[in-house]
Amino acid sequence: MVQIPKTPAPVSPDPRSVPTSADVARLAGVSRATVSYVLNNTSAVRISEPTRRRVHEAAKELGYVPHAAARSLRAGHSRMVLMPAPAAPVGPLYAQFLSELQWELGRLDYTVVQYGAVGLRGDDAARAWAELRPVAVLLPGSDLGPKGVTVLKRSGARAVVVVGPEPVEGAHALLMDYAAVGDCAARHLYARGRRRIGVVVPQEPGVRSFSAPRLEGVRGALRGTDARVVELPLAYDETSAARLAARWRGLGLDAVFAYNDEYAMLLMRALQDEGVRIPEDTAVIGADDLMLGRLLRPRLSTVHIEVPSGRELAELVDRAVRDPNAAPETHKVLGASMVHRDSG
Amino acid sequence: MVQIPKTPAPVSPDPRSVPTSADVARLAGVSRATVSYVLNNTSAVRISEPTRRRVHEAAKELGYVPHAAARSLRAGHSRMVLMPAPAAPVGPLYAQFLSELQWELGRLDYTVVQYGAVGLRGDDAARAWAELRPVAVLLPGSDLGPKGVTVLKRSGARAVVVVGPEPVEGAHALLMDYAAVGDCAARHLYARGRRRIGVVVPQEPGVRSFSAPRLEGVRGALRGTDARVVELPLAYDETSAARLAARWRGLGLDAVFAYNDEYAMLLMRALQDEGVRIPEDTAVIGADDLMLGRLLRPRLSTVHIEVPSGRELAELVDRAVRDPNAAPETHKVLGASMVHRDSG
DNA sequence: TTGAAAGCGATACCAG
DNA sequence: CTGGTATCGCTTTCAA
């Protein structure tokens, strides 16, 4: 049987197809190996200058771009750091943290990839992430169990880092102790003589994991005292705020901790419209220390949250990648401190 | 010459190495092909039920996860939609748009990947993106020339879509006509008798490409009239705002268009502290129609910007991927409309 | 119904 | 200094 040539000798390569290193080699009149050496500046081998030029020119002429998948398949590893993309829009604090992190990891020669896997939860999500064979996985919020961590590690991830309220077996952790935020606010209010304290809990889904610990922090700080805590569900719209404000006097509260500065502003406005004096009748406290709060009148007292620095996390990732067998580190990274202004 | 066996018969496979489909095949006592058939539910081939079970069990036992790179290398394509991750934190409007987009593309079975390539600009960035061989590339802001588009297309991207102020040769475009925002504000102010109009231009780098067209829109709308336009650089901090407010009366302005609601709030607060009455002495107008503006007193007039729906963009991407040869579509997606409240 | 084998594109070893 | 070639993990014909 006549042997059919593998490549039907495309004298003029189809311009519609993606050029490979073989195409470059052909055009430059060298082997694929040489192309690889030249384009990667491999120092172990010395290629003559004329050859280098021919290769570079051929690559440019064809518009050659190496194929990342092929490369990392061959190499057996990549420098991809994977993060699940947040499902819902997140606040300015997180956005700030994220871009800092990207920058810092970029400096360490990692590539940050935010992977939008909607609709996948827990271990399914872990499997989807593992398919990409990232060298490290960063999990803000961490809706992942120890099993998910195992899946990721078995698939080659040298570091799994959760950034969230609680540690996960087997993973490094940057512990955001949100309860401390509530604790901080509660102590402040208590010290200033407030005894009937409302805590705003956003009704929006998805922030539950942030708001619940804050509420618990307040409860914990006031347990065993003569202060009372009332949970106040609030949606982020004017109507909801107005409704809450309308029944304010009936609630008999002398202070409110409002989850964050944005909810604080919403509620404070509604209370003022209702004739409630702040801070005389009711003290109002926010969290996150946004610019916003400084611009309100009265100026908003707030809990300043020290988010982990992108640099800190980037370095943790790098350490973990270099020594995957080290015991998981757990850092508490959330300093909460009261910024006392005028509202309470 | 004695043939050395390729695989040195690892009877008990190293548990530290990542399991492959070959490991699954070995454990299940079948061939790799069978494993692939079973795990992908290939309908063209019928595999006996006992075999299926053995394969599934083996896969689970090993914690097998397929290798995305290998798969897409073999397949010659992927369903990855790539977006450069924003270098600087972005506003709530964009964040909202982004998560909607992710959801909609997910429904169409694409995977959205935000790629954080810091420090790369223009064509270098395009090359870095092209290495991932995405099926489509989405470019918010579009600091990319036609050459970059060519690179992406030659590397197999079936759709390149810019979402920004101006179209790019060869790419689909969702045109955000930011000049219309300035135009809208200017006409409104002019109609209400304002003639000496300030335009706040953020000093922060990175928003230049958004602020410049807004300023131009104002200029364009007032060209040939008796109104005067003054550019007002402003950094997003209280000091800068106070400094600007201090020299306000000297400027002799009767209106200001403040880039967006956040800058508007910052400036408005500083002006009020300086005793400038709003809107009597100076009208203040923002943009973006954030919740924020409704809560200020006076309520902030603002330009509502209709951002493209994630759905719209997702469908454009899908159309383009299905028919890559169709002429690039260009849509104007930015409706700007005045929301008149109390501040001007 | 299952298995053997050919590649996808890039790299690195080993000859020449 | 340069060229074959085996290999990474997976899919998919083609044969058995």
Side-chain angles (χ1 to χ4, degrees):
Chain A
M1 184 181 159
V2 177
Q3 182 79 17
I4 298 173
K6 319 270 165 101
T7 317
V11 178
S12 65
D14 184 354
R16 302 166 54 80
S17 75
V18 184
T20 74
S21 75
D23 296 321
V24 176
R26 211 169 303 139
L27 183 58
V30 299
S31 76
R32 284 156 60 224
T34 305
V35 170
S36 178
Y37 291 142
V38 171
L39 295 184
N40 295 317
N41 263 320
T42 307
S43 51
V45 272
R46 304 201 58 75
I47 305 282
S48 70
E49 200 48 48
T51 305
R52 300 183 87 83
R53 269 225 322 286
R54 286 220 313 285
V55 169
H56 276 125
E57 276 166 12
K60 177 170 296 180
E61 179 172 338
L62 292 176
Y64 169 72
V65 174
H67 192 308
R71 172 181 292 172
S72 73
L73 177 58
R74 173 62 227 240
H77 61 243
S78 72
R79 307 250 329 148
M80 181 201 310
V81 175
L82 184 140
M83 305 180 59
V90 289
L93 240 56
Y94 181 81
Q96 171 67 47
F97 163 68
L98 198 67
S99 56
E100 191 184 331
L101 177 66
Q102 302 216 4
W103 175 259
E104 293 292 341
L105 280 173
R107 277 167 28 97
L108 295 171
D109 202 35
Y110 294 95
T111 296
V112 181
V113 163
Q114 283 179 265
Y115 185 78
V118 290
L120 293 179
R121 279 189 327 239
D123 294 345
D124 284 340
R127 220 153 331 188
W129 301 331
E131 292 193 359
L132 299 184
R133 298 290 192 273
V135 70
V137 181
L138 263 43
L139 300 166
S142 86
D143 50 352
L144 194 73
K147 239 164 93 182
V149 175
T150 307
V151 169
L152 290 170
K153 291 221 161 155
R154 278 207 65 87
S155 78
R158 294 166 69 92
V160 179
V161 184
V162 300
V163 182
E166 51 190 18
V168 176
E169 177 78 28
H172 299 261
L174 254 52
L175 279 189
M176 320 271 288
D177 181 14
Y178 286 116
V181 177
D183 181 273
C184 185
R187 283 176 196 286
H188 173 83
L189 290 172
Y190 190 86
R192 302 182 68 81
R194 310 289 174 162
R195 290 297 180 270
R196 305 167 68 82
I197 298 177
V199 176
V200 167
V201 178
Q203 289 186 311
E204 281 70 23
V207 299
R208 195 83 210 169
S209 61
F210 298 91
S211 64
R214 294 188 189 190
L215 174 59
E216 273 322 297
V218 173
R219 286 232 161 87
L222 300 177
R223 211 178 312 273
T225 71
D226 56 334
R228 216 187 55 180
V229 176
V230 178
E231 184 175 343
L232 303 170
L234 176 64
Y236 193 60
D237 61 68
E238 283 185 293
T239 323
S240 178
R243 221 168 15 229
L244 177 54
R247 60 194 187 89
W248 197 255
R249 300 187 195 276
L251 288 166
L253 301 172
D254 58 12
V256 59
F257 168 54
Y259 176 64
N260 74 10
D261 289 349
E262 299 187 282
Y263 284 84
M265 178 182 187
L266 177 63
L267 178 58
M268 193 161 107
R269 168 52 62 201
L271 291 177
Q272 286 175 324
D273 287 351
E274 196 69 26
V276 176
R277 289 170 310 158
I278 296 169
E280 294 82 358
D281 299 337
T282 299
V284 176
I285 288 198
D288 287 0
D289 193 15
L290 302 183
M291 164 73 80
L292 175 57
R294 275 188 274 252
L295 302 176
L296 301 180
R297 294 299 179 269
R299 289 171 208 271
L300 185 66
S301 296
T302 190
V303 180
H304 176 88
I305 300 175
E306 190 178 337
V307 294
S309 79
R311 210 182 132 114
E312 194 175 349
L313 179 47
E315 281 166 0
L316 169 56
V317 168
D318 191 43
R319 268 199 310 279
V321 168
R322 298 175 110 90
D323 181 6
N325 297 319
E329 303 178 30
T330 296
H331 294 251
K332 286 212 174 184
V333 291
L334 200 144
S337 59
M338 196 62 216
V339 179
H340 182 208
R341 298 205 184 100
D342 310 322
S343 70
Chain B
M1 186 181 162
V2 175
Q3 184 79 16
I4 298 172
K6 320 272 166 104
T7 315
V11 178
S12 68
D14 183 356
R16 302 166 54 80
S17 74
V18 184
T20 72
S21 74
D23 296 322
V24 177
R26 212 168 304 140
L27 183 59
V30 298
S31 76
R32 285 157 57 224
T34 307
V35 171
S36 178
Y37 291 143
V38 171
L39 296 184
N40 295 316
N41 263 320
T42 307
S43 50
V45 183
R46 302 203 59 77
I47 306 282
S48 69
E49 201 48 49
T51 305
R52 301 185 86 84
R53 267 224 324 285
R54 285 220 314 284
V55 169
H56 276 127
E57 276 166 13
K60 176 170 295 179
E61 179 171 338
L62 292 176
Y64 169 72
V65 175
H67 192 307
R71 171 181 293 174
S72 73
L73 178 58
R74 172 66 227 234
H77 61 247
S78 72
R79 307 260 314 158
M80 182 201 310
V81 174
L82 184 140
M83 303 182 60
V90 288
L93 241 56
Y94 182 80
Q96 171 67 47
F97 163 67
L98 198 67
S99 57
E100 191 185 331
L101 177 65
Q102 301 215 6
W103 174 259
E104 292 293 340
L105 280 173
R107 279 167 26 99
L108 295 170
D109 201 35
Y110 294 95
T111 296
V112 180
V113 162
Q114 284 179 264
Y115 184 79
V118 289
L120 293 178
R121 280 189 327 241
D123 295 344
D124 283 341
R127 219 150 317 157
W129 301 332
E131 292 193 0
L132 298 184
R133 299 289 193 272
V135 69
V137 181
L138 264 44
L139 300 165
S142 85
D143 51 351
L144 194 73
K147 239 163 90 184
V149 175
T150 308
V151 169
L152 290 170
K153 291 221 161 154
R154 277 207 66 84
S155 78
R158 293 166 69 91
V160 179
V161 184
V162 301
V163 182
E166 50 191 19
V168 175
E169 177 76 30
H172 299 260
L174 254 52
L175 280 189
M176 320 270 289
D177 182 13
Y178 284 116
V181 178
D183 181 274
C184 185
R187 283 176 197 286
H188 173 82
L189 290 172
Y190 190 86
R192 301 182 68 80
R194 310 289 175 163
R195 291 296 179 271
R196 305 166 69 82
I197 298 176
V199 176
V200 168
V201 178
Q203 289 187 310
E204 282 71 24
V207 299
R208 195 83 210 170
S209 61
F210 297 91
S211 63
R214 293 187 190 191
L215 174 59
E216 274 321 298
V218 173
R219 286 232 161 86
L222 299 177
R223 211 178 311 273
T225 72
D226 55 334
R228 216 186 55 180
V229 176
V230 178
E231 185 175 343
L232 302 170
L234 176 64
Y236 194 61
D237 61 68
E238 283 185 292
T239 323
S240 179
R243 218 165 21 225
L244 178 54
R247 61 192 185 90
W248 196 256
R249 299 187 197 275
L251 288 167
L253 300 172
D254 58 11
V256 58
F257 168 55
Y259 176 65
N260 74 11
D261 288 349
E262 300 187 282
Y263 283 83
M265 177 182 189
L266 177 63
L267 179 58
M268 194 161 108
R269 169 52 60 201
L271 291 177
Q272 286 175 324
D273 287 351
E274 196 68 26
V276 176
R277 290 170 308 159
I278 296 169
E280 296 80 358
D281 299 335
T282 299
V284 176
I285 289 197
D288 285 1
D289 193 14
L290 302 183
M291 162 73 80
L292 175 55
R294 276 187 274 250
L295 303 176
L296 301 181
R297 295 297 179 269
R299 289 170 207 272
L300 186 65
S301 297
T302 190
V303 180
H304 177 87
I305 300 177
E306 189 179 338
V307 294
S309 80
R311 208 180 135 117
E312 193 176 351
L313 179 48
E315 281 166 359
L316 170 56
V317 168
D318 192 43
R319 269 200 309 278
V321 167
R322 299 175 111 89
D323 181 6
N325 296 318
E329 304 178 28
T330 296
H331 295 251
K332 286 214 174 183
V333 291
L334 200 144
S337 59
M338 196 61 215
V339 179
H340 182 208
R341 299 204 184 100
D342 309 322
S343 70

